[in-house]
Amino acid sequence: ELAKLDNELQQIKLGLLARYPSLDLSLVLPIGKRVVKQYGKDVADTSSLRSIFATNLGYAGCNTPMVEVEGGVKPAVNSRLFWEDIPFGLCILKDLALRMGIPTPSID
């Protein structure tokens, strides 16, 4: 769940700020606030995290890459999402969390 991942990111942010108080992480906002700040009026409904993503015009047509398999579809693990976004996003956050002793069950 995205909200759980975001909570872990915010905990990592707090851990970094505790160790490095002069570090400017002001742009590391909770995800809902970050999306609304970036897309502004393109987000029609800001009442929940789900509605922020569902009504954001900037995300229209942006779906998780999928491939057809017998009986349905599955994520396309050879796509850029898996080769760039995950290793250069979640894996780095996981490493930072490990170094600070912050649990990350959702990132795991």
Side-chain angles (χ1 to χ4, degrees):
E1 185 172 303
L2 192 55
K4 290 178 183 177
L5 288 172
D6 186 52
N7 182 55
E8 291 175 6
L9 170 61
Q10 296 306 312
Q11 294 304 308
I12 294 167
K13 172 186 173 179
L14 293 175
L16 287 169
L17 289 173
R19 288 178 182 225
Y20 309 102
S22 63
L23 192 60
D24 181 9
L25 296 178
S26 60
L27 295 177
V28 184
L29 300 170
I31 194 158
K33 289 181 181 180
R34 188 168 61 239
V35 171
V36 171
K37 181 178 179 178
Q38 183 172 348
Y39 290 93
K41 297 199 182 289
D42 282 348
V43 180
D45 181 356
T46 62
S47 63
S48 70
L49 189 54
R50 180 179 176 86
S51 66
I52 288 170
F53 279 89
T55 66
N56 182 357
L57 293 176
Y59 292 157
C62 295
N63 299 313
T64 300
M66 305 295 273
V67 293
E68 289 187 31
V69 296
E70 187 174 325
V73 295
K74 71 175 187 172
V77 295
N78 291 325
S79 72
R80 184 194 63 79
L81 173 72
F82 287 90
W83 289 101
E84 292 179 16
D85 292 355
I86 293 173
F88 295 105
L90 293 180
C91 293
I92 291 170
L93 293 174
K94 175 63 182 176
D95 185 59
L96 288 170
L98 279 171
R99 292 171 185 267
M100 294 184 288
I102 298 169
T104 56
S106 297
I107 289 175
D108 296 347

